[in-house]
Amino acid sequence: MIINGKEISLKIKDKIKKEVDQISKKYNRLPKLVVILVGDDQASQTYVRNKERASQYVGIESQVIRHDSSFSEEALLAEIRQLNQDDTVDGILVQLPLPAHIDEDKVLETIDSNKDVDGFHPDNVAKLFLGQQCPVPCTPKGMMVLLDEINYDLTGKEVVVIGRSHIVGKPVAMLCLQKNATVTIAHSKTKDLPKVCQRADILIVAIGKAKMINSDYIKEGAVVLDVGINRDENNRLCGDVDFDDVKDKVYAITPVPGGIGPMTVTMLLKNTLELFYQHNQ
Ligand code: NAP
């Protein structure tokens, strides 16, 4: 089975669109997301444009604030503090990576944890670990929704996550643990990675290396979620998994593009909506 993230995300976006429509009748303002982009990183520009387009599609008010790469840390923190105070703003997202002179941790800590639509604030990271209500990072949240969509019960299943980043690997491992899976987190220092992966009923791959994972890493009938966004030798978008090599061995797999990527953006909209409700209780 090829898990069609694009189609599933469209279905969810249409649901959100209806909800936003109801909100516009019931409340005197729309949910609002503010995205701050510092610098001219090409990939970031594309991601931000996608986020803006998706917000417009569902009717969420979106504002993108763009600064050139020389924008100071001090000015950025001041801007975030101002947005924290603005009652019309539900979600604040600072697009990563930031230029080297800006301390990413400081920036993430400055965003009001109740407007932290990416779920990267340390308070929200702690809440995720504790299993408490919080904005859940978008990519991991999207993966859990996809597993739900294919009615996959994680109870007692072996999950192997390759990658231990704060934005993907660690949070998705926590979410799988909450769903009663047995979870292993692998990384660049893991010994005999193929052997570790071969025990996975669900293999989550978030490495950032084009087509690194081939059928030698896959247990027959596994579910494979490919988070990677890379370019192959022909400059075509591809994942961390060698799709053609593994597709006949798996039970289900997400393609790249059209798998996890669209779900990430959709979960950003969902998080914005959830924060709006929280602010209007
Ligand atoms: P990251 O912060 O660069 O982390 C990469 C992880 O992969 C690290 O934990 C690293 O291990 C591990 N790794 C690197 N080489 C390895 C190897 N040879 N064997 C085993 N593990 C290895 O990456 P990220 O931010 O999580 O992103 C990963 C990929 O997902 C990227 O391609 C990114 O573009 C993509 N991404 C996609 C979405 C989406 O919406 N689809 C969202 C976010 C990210 P160490 O910790 O030991 O260095």
Side-chain angles (χ1 to χ4, degrees):
M1 183 200 320
I2 296 173
I3 306 173
N4 191 334
K6 199 171 167 187
E7 203 175 280
I8 295 168
S9 76
L10 187 61
K11 195 176 78 181
I12 299 170
K13 273 196 288 193
D14 282 336
K15 235 164 110 183
I16 296 175
K17 194 177 161 115
K18 280 196 189 121
E19 234 174 297
V20 175
D21 196 43
Q22 291 304 314
I23 284 172
S24 69
K25 290 172 190 144
K26 197 165 156 202
Y27 298 85
N28 58 6
R29 70 174 186 88
L30 289 169
K32 181 172 177 182
L33 170 68
V34 177
V35 177
I36 305 176
L37 175 61
V38 185
D40 47 16
D41 179 80
Q42 282 307 306
S44 294
Q45 306 250 19
T46 308
Y47 296 148
V48 167
R49 259 199 312 276
N50 289 344
K51 288 167 186 175
E52 201 176 8
R53 246 184 248 140
S55 304
Q56 282 161 357
Y57 179 80
V58 299
I60 284 178
E61 198 182 328
S62 90
Q63 181 188 0
V64 178
I65 305 175
R66 291 182 168 83
H67 297 293
D68 63 40
S69 53
S70 63
F71 197 61
S72 74
E73 179 182 288
E74 202 184 331
L76 178 59
L77 298 181
E79 185 163 66
I80 293 169
R81 287 192 193 101
Q82 215 168 22
L83 292 166
N84 286 344
Q85 298 302 320
D86 185 340
D87 289 340
T88 68
V89 175
D90 297 294
I92 304 168
L93 183 155
V94 178
Q95 186 64 43
L96 303 178
L98 286 164
H101 67 276
I102 299 177
D103 182 340
E104 207 169 280
D105 288 342
K106 247 193 217 170
V107 169
L108 297 179
E109 278 168 32
T110 302
I111 297 173
D112 182 339
S113 63
N114 293 310
K115 297 190 178 189
D116 172 33
V117 73
D118 254 341
F120 295 161
H121 189 287
D123 288 356
N124 289 325
V125 175
K127 283 183 177 172
L128 187 75
F129 266 65
L130 295 167
Q132 295 174 5
Q133 177 83 21
C134 64
V136 173
C138 301
T139 305
K141 183 169 176 154
M143 285 191 261
M144 302 316 282
V145 171
L146 285 183
L147 290 173
D148 238 26
E149 283 283 331
I150 63 166
N151 293 315
Y152 199 90
D153 182 5
L154 281 94
T155 306
K157 294 289 193 311
E158 285 271 353
V159 173
V160 174
V161 181
I162 321 178
R164 53 177 160 178
S165 70
H166 298 324
I167 62 169
V168 186
K170 284 179 188 166
V172 80
M174 272 303 132
L175 294 172
C176 291
L177 196 59
Q178 281 167 19
K179 293 277 183 190
N180 300 316
T182 303
V183 184
T184 304
I185 306 179
H187 45 78
S188 68
K189 306 288 186 291
T190 298
K191 291 212 175 84
D192 200 349
L193 188 61
K195 191 169 167 212
V196 172
C197 294
Q198 276 159 16
R199 67 167 183 254
D201 299 308
I202 304 171
L203 183 63
I204 298 177
V205 191
I207 308 172
K209 296 221 158 82
K211 299 184 189 177
M212 187 185 123
I213 302 301
N214 61 25
S215 57
D216 296 343
Y217 292 73
I218 309 289
K219 172 176 161 179
E220 188 90 39
V223 172
V224 177
L225 303 181
D226 186 357
V227 183
I229 304 176
N230 315 287
R231 295 269 167 193
D232 69 9
E233 57 285 2
N234 302 313
N235 204 33
R236 270 196 229 114
L237 273 184
C238 71
D240 291 340
V241 178
D242 187 341
F243 185 88
D244 290 332
D245 194 55
V246 311
K247 68 177 193 306
D248 294 330
K249 201 171 179 185
V250 299
Y251 164 65
I253 183 167
T254 57
V256 179
I260 307 291
M263 292 301 289
T264 297
V265 182
T266 302
M267 292 305 112
L268 177 68
L269 306 174
K270 209 162 185 326
N271 278 356
T272 306
L273 199 61
E274 285 166 9
L275 290 173
F276 172 86
Y277 287 130
Q278 198 180 301
H279 299 150
N280 284 280
Q281 264 170 10

